[in-house]
Coordinates of all heavy atoms in Angstrom, one line a residue:
P2 N 57.1 68.3 64.8 CA 58.4 68.7 65.0 C 59.1 67.8 66.0 O 58.6 67.2 66.9 CB 58.2 70.2 65.7 CG 56.9 70.6 65.3 CD 56.1 69.3 65.1
E3 N 60.5 67.7 65.8 CA 61.3 66.8 66.6 C 61.3 67.2 68.0 O 61.2 66.3 68.9 CB 62.8 66.8 66.1 CG 63.7 65.9 66.9 CD 63.3 64.4 66.8 OE1 62.7 64.1 65.7 OE2 63.5 63.6 67.7
S4 N 61.1 68.4 68.4 CA 61.1 68.9 69.7 C 59.8 68.4 70.4 O 59.9 68.1 71.6 CB 61.2 70.4 69.9 OG 60.1 71.0 69.1
V5 N 58.7 68.4 69.7 CA 57.5 67.9 70.3 C 57.6 66.4 70.5 O 57.1 65.9 71.6 CB 56.3 68.2 69.4 CG1 55.0 67.6 69.9 CG2 56.1 69.7 69.2
R6 N 58.1 65.6 69.7 CA 58.3 64.2 69.8 C 59.2 63.9 71.0 O 58.9 63.0 71.8 CB 58.8 63.6 68.4 CG 57.9 63.4 67.3 CD 58.3 62.4 66.3 NE 59.6 62.9 65.6 CZ 59.6 63.6 64.5 NH1 58.5 64.0 64.0 NH2 60.7 64.0 64.0
A7 N 60.3 64.6 71.0 CA 61.2 64.4 72.2 C 60.5 64.7 73.5 O 60.7 64.1 74.5 CB 62.4 65.2 72.0
G8 N 59.7 65.8 73.4 CA 59.0 66.1 74.8 C 58.0 65.0 75.1 O 57.8 64.8 76.3
R9 N 57.5 64.5 74.1 CA 56.4 63.3 74.6 C 57.2 62.2 75.0 O 56.8 61.4 76.0 CB 55.5 63.1 73.3 CG 54.5 64.1 72.9 CD 53.6 63.6 71.9 NE 52.6 64.7 71.7 CZ 51.6 64.4 70.8 NH1 51.6 63.4 69.9 NH2 50.6 65.5 70.5
R10 N 58.3 61.9 74.4 CA 59.1 60.7 74.9 C 59.6 61.0 76.4 O 59.5 60.2 77.2 CB 60.4 60.6 74.0 CG 60.0 59.8 72.6 CD 61.3 59.3 72.1 NE 62.2 60.4 71.7 CZ 62.4 61.0 70.6 NH1 61.4 60.7 69.7 NH2 63.2 61.9 70.3
R11 N 60.0 62.2 76.7 CA 60.4 62.5 78.0 C 59.3 62.4 79.0 O 59.4 61.8 80.1 CB 61.0 63.9 78.0 CG 62.4 64.0 77.5 CD 63.1 65.3 77.9 NE 62.4 66.4 77.4 CZ 62.6 67.1 76.1 NH1 63.6 66.5 75.4 NH2 61.9 68.2 75.8
S12 N 58.1 62.9 78.6 CA 56.9 62.9 79.5 C 56.5 61.4 79.7 O 55.9 61.1 80.8 CB 55.7 63.7 78.9 OG 55.3 63.1 77.8
A13 N 56.6 60.5 78.8 CA 56.3 59.1 78.9 C 57.2 58.3 79.8 O 56.9 57.3 80.2 CB 56.1 58.4 77.5
A14 N 58.5 58.8 79.9 CA 59.4 58.0 80.6 C 59.1 58.0 82.1 O 58.6 59.0 82.6 CB 60.8 58.7 80.4
P15 N 59.5 57.0 82.8 CA 59.2 57.0 84.3 C 60.1 58.0 85.0 O 61.3 58.3 84.7 CB 59.6 55.5 84.8 CG 60.5 55.1 83.7 CD 60.1 55.7 82.5
S16 N 59.6 58.6 86.1 CA 60.2 59.6 86.8 C 61.3 59.0 87.8 O 61.2 57.8 88.0 CB 59.2 60.5 87.6 OG 58.7 59.6 88.6
K17 N 62.2 59.7 88.3 CA 63.0 59.2 89.3 C 62.3 58.6 90.6 O 62.7 57.6 91.0 CB 64.0 60.3 89.8 CG 65.0 60.7 88.8 CD 66.0 61.7 89.4 CE 67.0 62.2 88.4 NZ 67.9 63.2 88.8
G18 N 61.3 59.2 90.9 CA 60.4 58.7 92.0 C 59.8 57.4 91.6 O 59.8 56.5 92.4
D19 N 59.3 57.2 90.4 CA 58.7 56.0 90.0 C 59.9 54.9 90.0 O 59.6 53.7 90.4 CB 58.3 56.0 88.5 CG 57.0 57.0 88.5 OD1 56.3 57.1 89.5 OD2 56.8 57.6 87.3
L20 N 61.0 55.2 89.5 CA 62.1 54.2 89.5 C 62.4 53.8 90.9 O 62.7 52.6 91.2 CB 63.3 54.7 88.8 CG 63.0 55.0 87.3 CD1 64.2 55.8 86.6 CD2 62.8 53.6 86.5
R21 N 62.5 54.8 91.9 CA 62.9 54.5 93.2 C 61.8 53.6 93.9 O 62.1 52.6 94.6 CB 63.0 55.7 94.1 CG 64.3 56.5 93.8 CD 64.5 57.6 94.9 NE 65.7 58.3 94.5 CZ 65.7 59.5 94.1 NH1 64.4 60.2 93.8 NH2 66.8 60.2 93.8
E22 N 60.5 53.8 93.6 CA 59.5 53.0 94.2 C 59.5 51.6 93.5 O 59.3 50.6 94.3 CB 58.0 53.6 93.7 CG 56.9 52.8 94.3 CD 55.6 53.6 94.1 OE1 55.5 54.8 94.4 OE2 54.6 52.9 93.6
L23 N 59.8 51.4 92.3 CA 60.0 50.1 91.7 C 61.2 49.4 92.3 O 61.0 48.2 92.6 CB 60.3 50.3 90.2 CG 60.4 49.0 89.4 CD1 59.2 48.1 89.5 CD2 60.7 49.2 87.9
K24 N 62.3 50.1 92.6 CA 63.3 49.5 93.2 C 63.1 49.0 94.6 O 63.4 47.9 95.1 CB 64.5 50.6 93.3 CG 65.8 50.2 94.0 CD 66.5 48.9 93.3 CE 67.7 48.6 94.0 NZ 68.4 47.4 93.3
I25 N 62.3 49.8 95.5 CA 61.8 49.4 96.7 C 61.1 48.0 96.6 O 61.3 47.1 97.4 CB 61.0 50.5 97.4 CG1 61.9 51.7 97.7 CG2 60.3 49.9 98.6 CD1 61.1 52.9 98.1
L26 N 60.1 48.0 95.6 CA 59.3 46.7 95.5 C 60.2 45.5 95.0 O 59.9 44.5 95.6 CB 58.1 47.0 94.6 CG 57.2 48.2 94.9 CD1 56.1 48.3 93.9 CD2 56.6 47.9 96.3
E27 N 61.2 45.8 94.1 CA 62.0 44.7 93.8 C 62.8 44.2 94.9 O 63.0 43.1 95.2 CB 63.0 45.2 92.6 CG 62.2 45.4 91.4 CD 63.2 46.1 90.3 OE1 64.3 46.5 90.7 OE2 62.8 46.0 89.1
V28 N 63.3 45.2 95.8 CA 64.0 44.8 97.0 C 63.2 44.0 98.0 O 63.6 43.0 98.5 CB 64.6 46.1 97.6 CG1 65.0 45.8 99.2 CG2 65.8 46.6 96.9
L29 N 61.9 44.4 98.2 CA 61.1 43.8 99.0 C 60.9 42.3 98.6 O 60.9 41.4 99.3 CB 59.6 44.4 99.1 CG 58.6 43.8 99.9 CD1 59.0 43.4 101.3 CD2 57.3 44.6 99.8
G30 N 60.6 42.2 97.2 CA 60.4 40.8 96.7 C 61.6 39.9 97.0 O 61.5 38.7 97.3
G31 N 62.9 40.5 96.9 CA 64.1 39.7 97.1 C 64.3 39.4 98.6 O 64.7 38.3 98.9
L32 N 63.9 40.3 99.4 CA 64.0 40.1 100.9 C 63.0 39.0 101.4 O 63.3 38.3 102.4 CB 63.8 41.3 101.7 CG 65.0 42.3 101.6 CD1 64.5 43.7 102.3 CD2 66.2 41.8 102.4
L33 N 61.9 38.9 100.8 CA 60.9 37.9 101.2 C 61.4 36.5 101.0 O 61.2 35.6 101.7 CB 59.6 38.1 100.3 CG 58.8 39.3 100.6 CD1 57.5 39.4 99.5 CD2 58.3 39.3 102.0
A34 N 62.3 36.3 100.1 CA 62.9 35.0 99.7 C 64.0 34.7 100.6 O 64.2 33.5 100.9 CB 63.5 35.1 98.2
V35 N 64.7 35.6 101.3 CA 65.8 35.3 102.2 C 65.5 35.5 103.6 O 66.2 35.0 104.4 CB 67.1 36.1 101.7 CG1 67.4 35.7 100.3 CG2 66.8 37.6 101.9
K36 N 64.6 36.4 104.0 CA 64.3 36.7 105.3 C 62.8 36.5 105.8 O 62.7 36.3 107.0 CB 64.7 38.2 105.5 CG 64.9 38.6 106.9 CD 65.6 39.9 107.1 CE 66.0 40.3 108.6 NZ 66.7 41.5 108.7
G37 N 61.8 36.5 104.8 CA 60.5 36.4 105.2 C 59.9 37.7 105.7 O 60.6 38.6 106.2
F38 N 58.6 37.8 105.5 CA 58.0 39.1 105.9 C 58.0 39.5 107.3 O 58.3 40.6 107.6 CB 56.5 39.1 105.3 CG 55.8 40.4 105.4 CD1 56.1 41.4 104.6 CD2 54.9 40.6 106.5 CE1 55.5 42.7 104.6 CE2 54.3 41.8 106.5 CZ 54.6 42.8 105.6
D39 N 57.7 38.6 108.1 CA 57.6 38.8 109.6 C 58.9 39.4 110.1 O 59.0 40.3 111.0 CB 57.1 37.6 110.4 CG 55.7 37.2 110.1 OD1 55.0 38.2 109.8 OD2 55.3 36.1 110.3
A40 N 60.1 38.8 109.6 CA 61.4 39.2 110.1 C 62.0 40.4 109.6 O 62.7 41.1 110.3 CB 62.4 37.9 109.9
L41 N 61.6 40.7 108.4 CA 62.2 42.0 107.8 C 61.5 43.2 108.4 O 60.4 43.3 108.8 CB 62.1 42.0 106.3 CG 60.7 42.1 105.6 CD1 60.4 43.5 105.4 CD2 60.8 41.4 104.2
T42 N 62.4 44.3 108.3 CA 61.9 45.6 108.8 C 61.9 46.6 107.7 O 62.5 46.4 106.6 CB 62.7 46.2 109.9 OG1 64.1 46.4 109.4 CG2 62.8 45.1 111.1
T43 N 61.3 47.8 107.9 CA 61.3 48.9 106.9 C 62.7 49.3 106.7 O 63.2 49.7 105.6 CB 60.5 50.0 107.5 OG1 59.1 49.6 107.6 CG2 60.5 51.2 106.4
A44 N 63.5 49.3 107.8 CA 65.0 49.7 107.7 C 65.7 48.8 106.8 O 66.6 49.1 106.1 CB 65.6 49.7 109.2
D45 N 65.4 47.4 106.8 CA 66.0 46.4 105.9 C 65.8 46.8 104.5 O 66.7 46.8 103.7 CB 65.5 45.1 106.2 CG 65.8 44.5 107.6 OD1 67.0 44.8 108.1 OD2 65.1 43.7 108.1
I46 N 64.5 47.2 104.3 CA 64.2 47.5 102.8 C 64.9 48.7 102.4 O 65.3 48.8 101.3 CB 62.7 47.6 102.7 CG1 61.9 46.4 103.2 CG2 62.3 48.1 101.2 CD1 60.4 46.6 103.2
A47 N 64.9 49.7 103.2 CA 65.5 51.0 102.9 C 67.1 50.8 102.6 O 67.6 51.3 101.7 CB 65.4 52.0 104.0
E48 N 67.7 50.1 103.5 CA 69.1 49.8 103.3 C 69.4 49.1 102.0 O 70.4 49.5 101.3 CB 69.6 49.1 104.5 CG 71.2 48.7 104.5 CD 71.6 47.9 105.7 OE1 70.8 47.5 106.5 OE2 72.9 47.6 105.6
R49 N 68.7 48.1 101.9 CA 69.0 47.3 100.6 C 68.6 48.1 99.3 O 69.3 47.9 98.2 CB 68.1 46.0 100.5 CG 68.4 45.1 99.4 CD 69.8 44.4 99.5 NE 69.8 43.5 100.6 CZ 69.4 42.2 100.7 NH1 68.9 41.6 99.6 NH2 69.6 41.5 101.7
A50 N 67.7 49.1 99.4 CA 67.4 49.9 98.2 C 68.2 51.2 98.2 O 68.1 51.9 97.2 CB 65.9 50.4 98.4
G51 N 69.2 51.3 99.2 CA 70.0 52.4 99.0 C 69.5 53.8 99.4 O 69.8 54.9 99.0
L52 N 68.5 53.6 100.4 CA 67.7 54.9 100.8 C 68.0 55.0 102.3 O 68.1 54.1 103.1 CB 66.2 54.7 100.4 CG 65.9 54.6 99.0 CD1 64.4 54.3 98.9 CD2 66.2 55.9 98.3
S53 N 67.7 56.2 102.8 CA 67.7 56.5 104.3 C 66.2 56.0 104.6 O 65.3 55.9 103.8 CB 67.9 57.9 104.6 OG 66.8 58.7 104.1
R54 N 66.0 55.8 105.9 CA 64.7 55.5 106.5 C 63.7 56.6 106.2 O 62.5 56.4 105.8 CB 64.7 55.2 108.0 CG 65.5 53.8 108.3 CD 65.4 53.5 109.8 NE 64.1 53.2 110.2 CZ 63.7 52.9 111.4 NH1 64.6 52.9 112.3 NH2 62.4 52.6 111.7

Side-chain angles (χ1 to χ4, degrees):
E3 181 61 31
S4 59
V5 175
R6 288 197 294 268
R9 289 189 176 179
R10 284 197 297 270
R11 284 194 296 271
S12 63
S16 67
K17 289 183 179 180
D19 292 335
L20 294 174
R21 288 196 184 103
E22 182 173 314
L23 180 59
K24 176 66 174 178
I25 291 169
L26 298 182
E27 290 175 346
V28 163
L29 173 57
L32 286 171
L33 291 176
V35 299
K36 199 165 187 176
F38 185 74
D39 290 334
L41 70 86
T42 65
T43 304
D45 293 328
I46 302 171
E48 180 181 1
R49 186 70 66 90
L52 299 171
S53 67
R54 289 184 66 179

